[in-house]
């Protein structure tokens, strides 16, 4: 089984030396890649800039911007059996990045940010029968409210499963999370290590009796 996993943050340039990014550590995606390799899957890990060592046995493809990630996904999505979209894809990019370095002495600066493409939604719209997509959603508030928001996101994005967690998980080794499918809760809300959660995701994707 061919598994495509995305991990970590994207960066969008402001100028030649500055960028906007997010707090994703990449740990969740790396844990999914490691769990996939451990069960014999052929794993490709698309990774943003993170301070982690890639699990042995997977193919690693780096990305920086949302556009890089989109190109890497477009080149590989057709050939995979499942995509686990754990990357924290930036929702906004700077409309007009500056080629050189902006100088503080130039005074106040206003940045216009434009929404990025919905990579997962676009891929899900053209997935082939049998191909599966796992989305992630960071939602705030009590578990019931977070799960309701994630259920709505699962439907609009057209994913098969969605892992809902909170922003506290972003740079932590553990995650308060649940996994939902269109028919309901497939893994109840609880605090787990990211490697345990990754194992659960892989079990849900693995073909055969473990599914
Ligand atoms: N995602 C994506 N492309 C984007 C933003 C997010 O593919 N431009 C993916 C993420 O990797 C994740 C899922 O979509 O698997 C949900 O991400 P989230 O940021 O919660 O979704 P958004 O559609 O950006 O919704 P929101 O406005 O709540 O941030």
């Amino acid at each position: 089984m061919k598994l495509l996993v995305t991990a970590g943050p994207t960066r969008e340039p402001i100028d030649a030396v500055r960028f906007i990014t997010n707090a994703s550590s990449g740990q969740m995606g790396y844990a999914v890649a490691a769990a996939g390799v451990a069960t014999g899957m052929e794993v490709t890990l698309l990774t943003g800039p993170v301070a982690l060592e890639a699990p042995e046995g997977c193919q690693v493809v780096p990305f920086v911007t949302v556009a890089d990630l989109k190109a890497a996904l477009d080149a590989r999505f057709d050939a995979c059996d499942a995509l686990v979209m754990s990357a924290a894809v930036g929702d906004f990019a700077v409309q007009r990045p500056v080629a050189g370095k902006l100088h503080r002495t130039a005074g106040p600066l206003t940045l216009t940010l434009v929404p990025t493409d919905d990579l997962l939604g676009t891929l899900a719209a053209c997935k082939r029968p049998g191909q599966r997509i796992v989305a992630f959603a960071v939602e705030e508030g009590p578990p019931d409210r977070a799960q309701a928001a994630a259920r709505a996101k699962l439907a609009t994005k057209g994913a098969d499963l969605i892992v809902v967690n909170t922003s506290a998980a972003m740079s932590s080794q553990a995650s308060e999370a649940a996994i939902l499918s269109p028919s309901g809760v497939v893994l109840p809300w609880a605090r787990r290590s990211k490697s345990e959660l990754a194992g659960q995701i892989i079990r849900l994707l693995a073909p055969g009796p473990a599914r």
Side-chain angles (χ1 to χ4, degrees):
M1 173 173 171
K2 288 189 176 170
L3 179 70
L4 191 55
V5 183
T6 68
T10 53
R11 287 180 180 174
E12 295 301 322
I14 296 171
D15 68 5
V17 296
R18 304 177 180 95
F19 50 82
I20 55 170
T21 188
N22 59 64
S24 171
S25 66
Q27 290 177 76
M28 190 66 238
Y30 276 57
V32 171
V37 170
T39 58
M41 293 178 179
E42 196 181 322
V43 180
T44 302
L45 173 63
L46 309 186
T47 179
V50 297
L52 296 173
E53 202 149 315
E56 245 174 69
C58 58
Q59 193 199 346
V60 180
V61 178
F63 63 81
V64 177
T65 64
V66 176
D68 293 343
L69 175 56
K70 178 175 165 40
L73 282 166
D74 287 348
R76 292 167 182 83
F77 179 66
D78 274 356
C80 79
D81 299 302
L83 166 66
V84 178
M85 196 66 186
S86 24
V89 184
D91 284 328
F92 296 96
V94 178
Q95 189 172 42
R96 280 189 203 85
V98 170
K101 184 187 169 208
L102 287 161
H103 292 284
R104 181 179 50 82
T105 45
L109 176 69
T110 301
L111 292 175
T112 302
L113 303 179
V114 290
T116 54
D117 294 339
D118 180 355
L119 307 186
L120 186 149
T122 308
L123 293 170
C126 59
K127 78 185 160 108
R128 53 181 166 72
Q131 220 177 5
R132 277 172 308 149
I133 296 184
V134 181
F136 278 71
V138 172
E139 304 292 349
E140 297 309 323
D144 281 1
R145 210 162 75 207
Q147 287 183 68
R151 201 166 292 117
K153 206 169 266 184
L154 177 70
T156 40
K157 297 230 175 209
D160 301 282
L161 296 170
I162 192 160
V163 182
V164 51
N165 57 17
T166 67
S167 56
M170 279 192 97
S171 44
S172 160
Q173 289 188 343
S175 177
E176 296 243 6
I179 305 180
L180 315 178
S181 77
S183 48
V185 176
V186 293
L187 186 74
W189 188 271
R191 184 176 175 80
R192 304 174 180 85
S193 70
K194 285 186 177 171
S195 62
E196 190 189 340
L197 184 59
Q200 297 281 2
I201 294 166
I202 292 299
R203 268 190 283 285
L204 289 164
L205 290 175
R211 201 167 148 186

